[in-house]
Amino acid sequence: MHARGAGNRYSAWSLLRARVAGSGYWQRMWGGAKLEPAYDVVVVGGGGHGLATAYHLARDHGIRHIAVLEKRSIGLGNVGRNTTIVRSNYLLPQNHYFYEDSLRRWETLSRDLNFNVMFSQRGVVDLATSDDEMGTLARRGNAMRLAGIDAELLDAKALERFVPRIDLNVPRRFPIIGGLVQRRGGCVRHDAVAWGYARAAAAHGVDIIEDCEVTGVRSAGGVATGVETNRGFVKADRIVFAVAGHTGAVGDMLGTTLPVETHILQAAVTEPIKPLLDTILIYFYAHAETYILQSDRGGMVMGGALDGFPSYTREGRWSRLEEVVQGAVELLPQVAGLRILRNWAGTNDMTMDGSPIMDRFVFDNVFLNGGWCYGGFKAIPASGAACARFVATGTAPDLVRHFRLSRFADGNLLDERGGGPFPARQ
Amino acid sequence: MMKRLACPFCGPRELEEFTFHKTVAEPGSSAFEAVYERRNRVDSSLEHWQHVAGCRAWLLVHRNPTSGDVLDVKVLG
């Protein structure tokens, strides 16, 4: 434990006080914690899921000694590499109830964390290019509405009203005929999510240790006793792995198999332009996929399908980027002249059915929070709350019970896309 | 970074000509493990690929998924 100070509470009042107090009023949001030799819970991975889990363990379950061990620095992993979209437009009940819980938490997160995460409910629109796709979207929308989640099927006219910048008369190889919108979906500033959770967790007494890489798990008598790190052994009663794209590598470290493969997903952002798109568009056409939104800074953020083969390299293949950009230009010809400012890739722990894993793992006191595929960002608030409850009480909450590892063996797969056990195609 | 694969029949070709099919199961795997479980070694991955836009041969590709290096390409079978 260390002296951490409660931190500043952000408000109009604190702005005034800072003005009076002058420099030195604002405290660090986190950092300065010293690694202790033993903890009640060690969370491996300081990304969104790890930080949220630690935050809820401390806030909701009163666990005092928690460490989050991060290999590099807070915010440099997938929590800062995603395209910031949050939504709960899933077909399967096990998925849409969970992601709806997450979406509701996003709606109040800025208040809960006392940190503005810039949540913008600008709507998420899945576009259809054929009658078959309209039928599939209608089915998904109806499943959501039965669960009390907002969904609205848009025909071409309604779509043009909702997204005036899409000109449906532009000749397209795969003409757009309608879509499904979830108006409560939207985007969040991802860096703020990492910082907000880190700050809130630190304020609740969580030790956030950066540059601390876990290299192994020590066990005795079939129970994990702690983790080996580059700073020595850390004793832990319970261990949570929330390492996103490195879930497979953790399996390798522990010498076990997992229903997971690591694949690469790319994204790109253009130079900033004036407001063009005030919603989020997802465009499936033939074999390819492009989704696009405009960031608050004005850049057009876009991404598409996985690269298609297992890799930890974070280096995307050129043809995929080309395909994403082609889709973006077909969708919004206005962006054709823009320059790409940055493009990057992230690693995704793709499961065999495209749904996540939250379960005990190898040892009874080791928990795995992973397999989020390319959709982990939107799950952060619900995942943190559920994982914390699982770790604190020893029982998986109803919302995540079906995310167990044994579902592959007992045949209860959550195959949202119906694509079979091919991680590259989820 | 992997940009090309050397097909035993056609020589080095652009990666875009090839399609990844699946990761080869560990020796001694059960049918269930072969379908659903992966060992995820960080330095070694044995995979089935096909030279789809070329000679259409099925290939056994040995790669290092961390460095991206191709270690070996053989004709499958």
Side-chain angles (χ1 to χ4, degrees):
Chain A
M1 301 295 284
H2 62 102
R4 22 179 107 70
N8 302 103
R9 187 153 179 89
Y10 297 159
S11 64
W13 176 237
S14 67
L15 278 176
L16 276 173
R17 285 185 40 181
R19 182 88 180 123
V20 175
S23 67
Y25 176 78
W26 298 113
Q27 296 173 17
R28 283 181 72 173
M29 296 200 291
W30 73 87
K34 208 171 109 278
L35 183 62
E36 301 287 324
Y39 287 97
D40 295 335
V41 180
V42 162
V43 179
V44 183
H49 290 264
L51 291 169
T53 300
Y55 164 68
H56 282 283
L57 277 169
R59 195 196 73 170
D60 305 346
H61 302 283
I63 294 179
R64 298 289 301 256
H65 303 287
I66 306 169
V68 174
L69 307 184
E70 165 57 41
K71 182 164 78 171
R72 297 193 295 161
S73 300
I74 298 298
L76 295 189
N78 283 4
V79 70
R81 298 173 83 86
N82 59 78
T83 45
T84 76
I85 301 168
V86 301
R87 56 187 174 85
S88 62
N89 55 359
Y90 282 74
L91 172 70
L92 300 179
Q94 296 93 330
N95 282 334
H96 60 222
Y97 282 119
F98 173 80
Y99 286 105
E100 177 61 14
D101 180 67
S102 210
L103 190 52
R104 286 183 191 162
R105 290 173 187 273
W106 282 117
E107 285 170 339
T108 61
L109 193 68
S110 290
R111 227 173 313 140
D112 295 345
L113 297 181
N114 181 232
F115 198 92
N116 185 3
V117 296
M118 298 170 78
F119 180 41
S120 159
Q121 291 183 293
R122 58 183 68 182
V124 175
V125 189
D126 281 283
L127 299 169
T129 59
S130 69
D131 288 339
D132 291 347
E133 278 181 341
M134 281 302 279
T136 309
L137 291 181
R139 178 180 175 225
R140 174 142 62 99
N142 287 337
M144 291 162 63
R145 292 173 72 115
L146 284 170
I149 302 167
D150 74 303
E152 214 175 304
L153 199 64
L154 305 174
D155 59 14
K157 276 221 165 67
L159 180 64
E160 274 191 315
R161 266 199 306 278
F162 188 67
V163 196
R165 301 288 189 169
I166 291 193
D167 183 353
L168 297 188
N169 298 318
V170 167
R172 292 185 175 89
R173 190 168 164 210
F174 298 98
I176 297 159
I177 62 166
L180 179 75
V181 59
Q182 181 178 29
R183 290 178 195 261
R184 288 168 54 247
C187 57
V188 189
R189 183 171 180 212
H190 50 192
D191 300 318
V193 174
W195 302 334
Y197 269 114
R199 169 174 171 267
H204 278 92
V206 173
D207 286 355
I208 296 173
I209 313 289
E210 294 169 279
D211 300 312
C212 182
E213 182 175 3
V214 170
T215 52
V217 171
R218 199 185 283 180
S219 66
V223 178
T225 53
V227 290
E228 308 281 358
T229 76
N230 58 354
R231 299 205 201 166
F233 178 69
V234 181
K235 198 170 165 302
D237 291 342
R238 279 158 288 180
I239 301 165
V240 181
F241 281 100
V243 297
H246 278 69
T247 300
V250 166
D252 186 30
M253 185 176 87
L254 297 179
T256 184
T257 59
L258 276 172
V260 163
E261 262 178 24
T262 298
H263 288 260
I264 291 177
L265 190 69
Q266 295 193 61
V269 61
T270 69
E271 57 193 327
I273 53 171
K274 287 185 177 180
L276 171 70
L277 186 63
D278 62 358
T279 187
I280 299 163
L281 301 177
I282 303 170
Y283 183 37
F284 282 94
Y285 56 105
H287 61 289
E289 173 190 354
T290 293
Y291 57 89
I292 186 162
L293 67 137
Q294 187 166 23
S295 77
D296 291 333
R297 244 182 52 169
M300 303 302 291
V301 181
M302 59 189 85
L306 294 169
D307 263 21
F309 56 90
S311 177
Y312 291 108
T313 57
R314 291 204 179 106
E315 288 173 338
R317 65 199 281 188
W318 174 253
S319 60
R320 184 67 82 226
L321 181 63
E322 208 171 24
E323 185 183 284
V324 166
V325 171
Q326 277 168 1
V329 170
E330 182 143 324
L331 194 55
L332 294 167
Q334 300 96 319
V335 305
L338 297 183
R339 282 163 292 196
I340 300 275
L341 203 63
R342 284 189 304 281
N343 68 302
W344 65 98
T347 52
N348 303 258
D349 43 344
M350 301 299 302
T351 58
M352 296 294 153
D353 60 359
S355 294
I357 295 164
M358 203 181 286
D359 205 346
R360 293 172 201 275
F361 174 53
V362 186
F363 302 100
D364 215 38
N365 58 337
V366 175
F367 297 81
L368 178 64
N369 175 348
W372 293 100
C373 301
Y374 42 70
F377 179 69
K378 68 174 108 63
I380 286 171
S383 156
C387 188
R389 200 162 143 215
F390 193 177
V391 173
T393 65
T395 311
D398 285 341
L399 268 182
V400 298
R401 189 163 293 159
H402 37 267
F403 294 154
R404 63 187 186 277
L405 268 170
S406 62
R407 70 176 184 268
F408 299 95
D410 59 34
N412 291 300
L413 273 69
L414 302 170
D415 200 352
E416 177 82 21
R417 250 191 206 189
F422 302 99
R425 294 184 212 161
Q426 299 296 347
Chain B
M1 183 187 174
M2 187 166 96
K3 287 180 180 153
R4 286 181 184 177
L5 267 184
C7 174
F9 297 109
C10 314
R13 294 296 188 110
E14 294 290 314
L15 190 60
E16 276 55 61
E17 293 187 9
F18 300 84
T19 299
F20 166 83
H21 178 59
K22 68 166 289 188
T23 311
V24 179
E26 295 280 306
S29 295
S30 67
F32 165 75
E33 288 163 348
V35 174
Y36 289 109
E37 295 286 325
R38 298 289 183 271
R39 185 58 174 70
N40 289 298
R41 294 179 200 279
V42 293
D43 56 355
S44 166
S45 181
L46 201 58
E47 299 156 354
H48 289 176
W49 288 66
Q50 191 185 10
H51 194 184
V52 169
C55 65
R56 301 196 65 80
W58 281 92
L59 306 171
L60 186 65
V61 179
H62 187 200
R63 294 190 310 116
N64 179 331
T66 301
S67 68
D69 295 339
V70 180
L71 306 174
D72 189 28
V73 183
K74 277 197 208 101
V75 179
L76 187 61

